[in-house]
Amino acid sequence: MRAFLRLAAMATSPTNPNQIRSLRLANLASQLRLYKPPPSSLDASTSDEDAPVVDARGKVFSPMAVAESAAPATLSHPDLFRPKTASVLICLFEDSKGDLRVILTKRSSNLSSHSGEVSLPGGKTEEGDRDEKETALREAKEEIGLEPSLVSVVTVLQPFLSKHLLRVTPVIAILEDRDAFKPVLNPAEVEELFDAPLEMFLKDENKRVDEREWMGVKYLVHFFDYKAENKMFLIWGLTASVLIRAAAVVYQRPPSFTEQSPEFKFPYP
């Protein structure tokens, strides 16, 4: 009887690599859909008279990122602070080894600010966007030609505040078939497209950190050096902070280094 059950299990277990990959991604999607970010005291509404956007195109990049729950107390009162909002897309897929990777961009050298920096696809909320998920998907399509139909949005993370008081919400999505994605880069915004292993953002390797202060809050700026196709990329600032948080949520463990300043620590899954 036991032998029969073993044979039956082998017969029903997926053996095709694509089937195995699909099963792993489906399990990951189920796990992430259960994730709930910490509650926020900031109002998500916006006002055109409030803080400036990151740059003229509304693209998301900042050398600084403070988790919203660690922001100065004066910014947590919605009657006093109504930040502009933006979203970034954390698009995950599996490589041939079964490792999760995230899609990243190198900003165009023609941009007026932070040209040539590494960032996640994303940008400012526009009128007509129903929510942060739609903002992230719209921006990804505009920047790198990623069709929304190719990905499944599974969760959103706690927003981050940039140095320019932009409220940035990370949106995690899964790309099941990487080969189906045929990038079309918008040259006005994106110079290069590459991907990196998500787990690297939990490891204290090829990285350095700098402590700074903003509005009375101490925060850490993380810098990751990454080589792809004989090119070196520096992933830092808001992008690095968002990816550290995303990796901690996906892998359900904290990084092997201090993520925020010692005065504030994230609640880990």
Side-chain angles (χ1 to χ4, degrees):
M1 182 65 178
R2 291 179 181 174
F4 172 77
L5 291 176
R6 285 198 297 269
L7 289 172
M10 292 174 62
T12 57
S13 298
T15 56
N16 184 292
N18 291 332
Q19 291 179 317
I20 296 173
R21 182 180 300 112
S22 296
L23 181 60
R24 282 197 299 256
L25 291 177
N27 290 337
L28 175 63
S30 297
Q31 167 200 316
L32 292 176
R33 288 191 177 102
L34 296 175
Y35 173 75
K36 301 296 181 184
S40 169
S41 59
L42 278 179
D43 184 15
S45 61
T46 62
S47 169
D48 290 339
E49 298 177 359
D50 285 321
V53 296
V54 172
D55 62 26
R57 293 183 175 89
K59 298 297 112 178
V60 177
F61 185 90
S62 175
M64 185 217 85
V66 172
E68 190 171 88
S69 55
T74 54
L75 299 184
S76 63
H77 199 297
D79 293 335
L80 301 176
F81 176 62
R82 294 179 181 271
K84 288 187 178 293
T85 61
S87 296
V88 291
L89 187 68
I90 302 168
C91 185
L92 304 178
F93 68 93
E94 271 196 349
D95 63 15
S96 58
K97 297 178 181 178
D99 296 327
L100 285 173
R101 302 184 71 86
V102 59
I103 293 176
L104 294 164
T105 69
K106 180 180 177 183
R107 289 161 60 90
S108 171
S109 57
N110 296 321
L111 290 174
S112 58
S113 62
H114 301 290
S115 59
E117 301 285 2
V118 172
S119 66
L120 289 156
K124 185 180 64 173
T125 304
E126 293 185 358
E127 185 177 356
D129 290 345
R130 290 174 296 183
D131 54 25
E132 62 276 355
K133 300 174 186 177
E134 187 166 300
T135 299
L137 293 174
R138 174 183 53 74
E139 288 286 340
K141 183 176 181 179
E142 292 176 3
E143 291 183 13
I144 61 175
L146 178 63
E147 291 293 337
S149 60
L150 293 179
V151 300
S152 299
V153 173
V154 290
T155 195
V156 298
L157 303 182
Q158 176 183 174
F160 286 75
L161 293 178
S162 80
K163 187 175 182 179
H164 297 277
L165 303 185
L166 187 72
R167 186 179 191 243
V168 182
T169 300
V171 176
I172 298 182
I174 292 177
L175 173 63
E176 185 172 330
D177 186 358
R178 175 63 179 84
D179 293 335
F181 171 38
K182 309 299 181 184
V184 179
L185 306 186
N186 181 344
E189 300 178 6
V190 177
E191 193 168 291
E192 292 186 63
L193 183 75
F194 69 101
D195 54 76
L198 182 65
E199 196 172 14
M200 70 174 275
F201 298 101
L202 295 180
K203 300 177 180 179
D204 197 11
E205 301 172 5
N206 301 318
K207 73 174 292 292
R208 56 192 184 278
V209 67
D210 184 25
E211 184 178 69
R212 302 181 187 179
E213 186 171 329
W214 171 71
M215 298 184 70
V217 173
K218 291 183 179 180
Y219 65 94
L220 300 180
V221 180
H222 298 278
F223 301 80
F224 292 86
D225 294 305
Y226 180 66
K227 186 176 183 179
E229 297 181 356
N230 296 319
K231 295 180 181 179
M232 290 301 300
F233 295 96
L234 179 62
I235 305 167
W236 69 294
L238 185 146
T239 300
S241 294
V242 167
L243 289 172
I244 293 168
R245 181 91 288 265
V249 170
V250 168
Y251 289 101
Q252 298 185 305
R253 71 175 193 267
S256 59
F257 50 84
T258 301
E259 180 177 357
Q260 291 277 351
S261 72
E263 299 174 4
F264 174 80
K265 294 184 182 297
F266 269 113
Y268 288 98

